[in-house]
Amino acid sequence: MTFLDLIKTRQSDRKYLDKPVEKEKIERCLEAARLAPSATNSQPWEFIVVSNPDLKNKVAHATYSSLIKFNRWVPTAPVLVVLNTWKPELHITLGGILKNRQFNLIDVGIVAEHFCLQAAEEGLGTCMLGWFQTKKIMKLLNIKAPKKPALVITLGYSGHTHIRDKKRKNLDEIRKYM
Ligand SMILES: Cc1cc2nc3c(=O)[nH]c(=O)nc-3n(C[C@H](O)[C@H](O)[C@H](O)COP(=O)(O)O)c2cc1C
C-alpha cells in the first residue's frame, strides 16, 4: 500500500465491532504519535488510553449531551484515547505569543493524525472528537490544569464494511503555485 492509499483508507468511523483492540497495536499507534514533529520540539501532548469498560463508558457519555447529540455513537468504541495538551513554558511559546499563534494546538492536530494513520495501517478505525464536556472528562480522568483534553480519539475495529469516498474541495480550489 502506498502512503496515499493508506491516507484514503483512514476515515471517521462512527460504529465499532464489540471486539477488543490488541495492546501491541495501540502501542504502535502511540509510537507513531510519539515521533510527530512539534514547534520547538516541545511535544506538548499526553495520551490517556481508556479501555476499562466502566470508565470508558463514562468518558464516552461525556462526548455528548442532551442538547448536543451527534456523538451518541461513541460508546460503541472499545477504546477512547484522550489527548491532553498544554501551553509550553513561556520561553518556548514566546514566538507563538508574539505571532498570536497557539502552536500546541497545531502540534496536537499533527500528533492525532499520526496516531490515526498508524491505526489505519493496523486495520483499526478511529474518529477524532472535538466536541466533549471538558470538565467532566478532566474529573473522570483526574486531569489537572494546565493540562487539558484537546481531542478524544475513538479506536476499535470498524463496524463499517466499506470506505466512503472522501468529500473534499478540488485541488483547483485550494492550490496556487507562485
Ligand atoms: C478537530 C476535529 C474534531 C472533530 N470532531 C468530531 C466530533 O466531535 N464528532 C464526530 O463525529 N466527528 C468529528 N470529527 C470528524 C470530522 O467530521 C471528519 O474528519 C470530517 O467530516 C471528514 O471525514 P473523514 O474523517 O471521514 O474523512 C472531527 C475531526 C477533527 C479533525
Side-chain angles (χ1 to χ4, degrees):
M1 189 160 44
T2 66
F3 185 61
L4 202 50
D5 289 334
L6 176 67
I7 285 173
K8 288 175 185 166
T9 68
R10 190 225 48 88
Q11 65 182 8
S12 294
D13 282 315
R14 298 187 176 93
K15 187 166 76 172
Y16 292 90
L17 303 181
D18 185 13
K19 182 177 168 184
V21 179
E22 298 84 343
K23 186 159 181 214
E24 319 85 75
K25 292 192 172 192
I26 300 177
E27 285 285 294
R28 281 194 293 270
C29 294
L30 293 168
E31 175 63 2
R34 187 180 73 86
L35 298 173
S38 56
T40 58
N41 202 20
S42 54
Q43 303 162 68
W45 50 59
E46 173 189 83
F47 296 84
I48 304 180
V49 180
V50 189
S51 53
N52 169 288
D54 271 356
L55 187 58
K56 189 272 296 175
N57 284 332
K58 283 180 184 150
V59 175
H61 290 136
T63 65
Y64 57 92
S65 71
S66 49
L67 210 62
I68 309 283
K69 298 187 168 122
F70 53 79
N71 284 337
R72 264 192 310 186
W73 53 272
V74 173
T76 68
V79 180
L80 296 177
V81 179
V82 176
L83 172 44
N84 289 334
T85 189
W86 53 87
K87 284 187 196 159
E89 295 131 47
L90 191 64
H91 70 279
I92 294 177
T93 44
L94 200 57
I97 290 168
L98 293 176
K99 289 282 171 200
N100 194 21
R101 269 185 237 151
Q102 242 181 293
F103 288 129
N104 66 311
L105 296 183
I106 298 175
D107 300 336
V108 158
I110 297 170
V111 85
E113 184 65 352
H114 270 220
F115 184 97
C116 293
L117 286 175
Q118 183 64 33
E121 164 78 14
E122 303 286 346
L124 294 167
T126 54
C127 183
M128 293 181 208
L129 308 176
W131 200 93
F132 47 81
Q133 301 184 59
T134 306
K135 280 188 190 156
K136 266 195 189 170
I137 291 186
M138 288 180 76
K139 196 165 177 207
L140 282 166
L141 302 179
N142 197 24
I143 299 164
K144 302 265 183 253
K147 289 179 184 173
K148 200 176 166 186
L151 283 172
V152 175
I153 305 175
T154 59
L155 181 68
Y157 286 92
S158 177
H160 298 287
T161 47
H162 78 287
I163 304 290
R164 300 181 299 270
D165 285 338
K166 298 265 180 284
K167 289 185 192 159
R168 298 292 192 266
K169 293 177 184 171
N170 289 321
L171 210 42
D172 284 343
E173 293 176 66
I174 59 168
R175 129 177 42 71
K176 222 183 243 179
Y177 287 107
M178 297 185 103

